[in-house]
Amino acid sequence: MGKSAVVRAFEEIRTALAVLQAEVDGAGSLPFSDIDPLAGLADGCLDILAGAREVEARVAGVKAKAAVGYAEAAHAVAGPGVPVVAQEMAVAAEIGCVLALGPRAAASFLATSHALTSSLPRTLEALQSGTLSWQHAIVLADETASLDAVGAAALEAHFLDPEAQDAARGCPVGELPAHRFRVKARTWRERHHAESIEKRHARGVAERRVEFRADRDGMAWLGAYLPADQAQAGWNRLTAAARGLQGPGEDRTMPQLRADSFAAAILGSGNIRGGSTSLTSASASATAGALAAARPGAGAGGTDSAASGTGHQPSPVRAEVLVTVPVFALMGLTDEPAMLDGYGRVPASMARRLVADGAGSFYRVLVDPRDGAPLEIGRKSYRVPRAMRAWLRMRDGKCPFPGCSNTSLDTEADHLLAWHHGGTTGISNLGQPCPKHHKLRHTTAWKPTPATTNEPPGWTSPTGRHYTSEHQDWEPPKWPPGFLPGERSLLEEALQEYLSA
């Protein structure tokens, strides 16, 4: 065993990789399929990709444990005479040299490895079994960093334990792209964090800023750290402006159109590309209690923008944002976070502010009190009404194609079973793909699978593989004290405390 076992194991790995390389090159001893060699090769390559993903995850688990093992051994060898900070720097430097990582990357890798081995056992187990990638493990380490042990264990169980009381629904975590998993993990964390989101948001508002970073080729980055409602409204406005500029004679892509609209807005030119095309804006509406509208500069934390120091000047141009607010939070009876479409959980005070600043439309949405999922509605005509579009937005949250992050304001209602083939206009027969994936559905062999009342459609690829869609993590709404049978109200609690004194 020992070093000789390690050397022998890596020799076997290199041999196995050589076999896989030959198969990918089509030089294997046997074809993937005698009937259709080309289709067989294509399917075989996908099998190799899936297997490689699993192996990479397992290797990442080995690397994490090896890094922590080295760090612990190095600390013991160094003895108590070496300053802790200096020893940590020395360990990170050694690991960085071995893995060809810079100092920051090495320290970050070591910190994540420590988190996995010391406080995230389910994550480490999933990594070692190949069901979770290193990128997913980083997300879990980041999102649990500020939680106590109980909170971290609860977040892990929600996403990684299928037997948990309120396990995550839809696509398994390991099959979600890491950036989509981060959104789901952050959303769950914001709802269950022990510290009020109002307090954390207030600290965040104090850190708002604009940053400039030079890049190569005569380019640079300009970004702002803003309250989520302002940032999301600004993004939605840029998207709407870019959509309005598209046409037969427009050769710019959506990212280019957004960038040109952004530059025109902040430079005050009022036009794009130095020409006569005026900057357009989105019409305003939003959602509450369901769905309520707000202007892009609505203040954060439930206070007026000027009073809170954001310096926002009201604008006659309003951008569309969608916010789903529990009715008791809207009434101020609870502080349950609201959901800002395209972002995630936001403070209830922000949602109340958005509604108070001019909601253009409201929809009352009845939800299942057991799990918080919206209930079915239907219609027998082809045209999808506004209320049903709002329902789709609540059910799906975004384009349902795997890995897509396009928000529901940039999607298109689509019949899963075509209207002319007998499909109905009901929630269970509707999807809302973004324009890109709507086109993909109608021009390639990618096809959506059936949806349900509260589950968006999955997708079947041209090779016949099925991919489950990302589902919303609905939860029962929080009730104010005294509203549920057997509970005392705040007044009753105060009276009981007074009488007991």
Side-chain angles (χ1 to χ4, degrees), residues 184-235:
K184 289 178 71 71
R186 185 186 66 214
T187 298
W188 191 94
R189 172 185 172 277
E190 295 292 11
R191 181 180 173 92
H192 296 273
H193 198 296
E195 184 181 9
S196 167
I197 189 175
E198 300 284 355
K199 295 179 181 178
R200 290 180 281 123
H201 177 64
R203 290 199 298 268
V205 170
E207 298 294 326
R208 64 192 183 279
R209 59 191 178 274
V210 175
E211 295 181 346
F212 171 85
R213 178 167 60 85
D215 207 334
R216 61 175 68 89
D217 303 326
M219 302 297 289
W221 295 93
L222 179 64
Y225 182 61
L226 297 170
D229 60 325
Q230 295 180 9
Q232 190 65 56
W235 174 260

Side-chain angles (χ1 to χ4, degrees), residues 269-278:
S269 62
N271 59 68
I272 300 173
R273 201 186 252 172
S276 59
T277 306
S278 297

Side-chain angles (χ1 to χ4, degrees), residues 388-461:
M388 194 175 292
R389 283 303 309 270
W391 205 282
L392 274 176
R393 288 166 175 164
M394 288 192 67
R395 186 194 70 180
D396 297 2
K398 66 174 193 68
C399 170
F401 194 84
C404 184
S405 296
N406 280 330
T407 64
S408 59
L409 284 175
D410 196 32
T411 56
E412 302 168 345
D414 183 35
H415 288 76
L416 303 179
L417 177 62
W419 174 263
H420 59 274
H421 287 156
T424 61
T425 303
I427 292 298
S428 297
N429 190 47
L430 289 174
Q432 56 161 14
C434 65
K436 179 175 70 174
H437 292 118
H438 195 176
K439 182 178 180 180
L440 182 76
R441 180 254 169 107
H442 290 289
T443 56
T444 73
W446 277 94
K447 299 299 177 186
T449 59
T452 67
T453 300
N454 51 30
E455 294 180 358
W459 289 80
T460 300
S461 73

Side-chain angles (χ1 to χ4, degrees), residues 122 125 156-169 172-173:
R122 293 183 187 274
E125 181 182 354
E156 259 199 318
H158 175 71
F159 289 108
L160 300 179
D161 182 7
E163 303 300 323
Q165 183 177 1
D166 185 31
R169 305 172 181 86
V173 168

Side-chain angles (χ1 to χ4, degrees), residues 238-252 257-258 260-261 272 277-280:
L238 289 172
T239 298
R243 288 278 180 225
L245 292 170
Q246 287 184 315
E250 179 57 69
D251 61 350
R252 288 173 292 175
L257 287 168
R258 284 195 190 98
D260 293 343
S261 299
I272 300 173
T277 306
S278 297
L279 177 64
T280 61

Side-chain angles (χ1 to χ4, degrees), residues 29 50 68 83 163 194 236 317 319 350 362 417 441 473 500:
S29 57
V68 172
E163 303 300 323
N236 292 346
V317 178
M350 179 186 290
F362 294 85
L417 177 62
R441 180 254 169 107
D473 281 333
S500 301

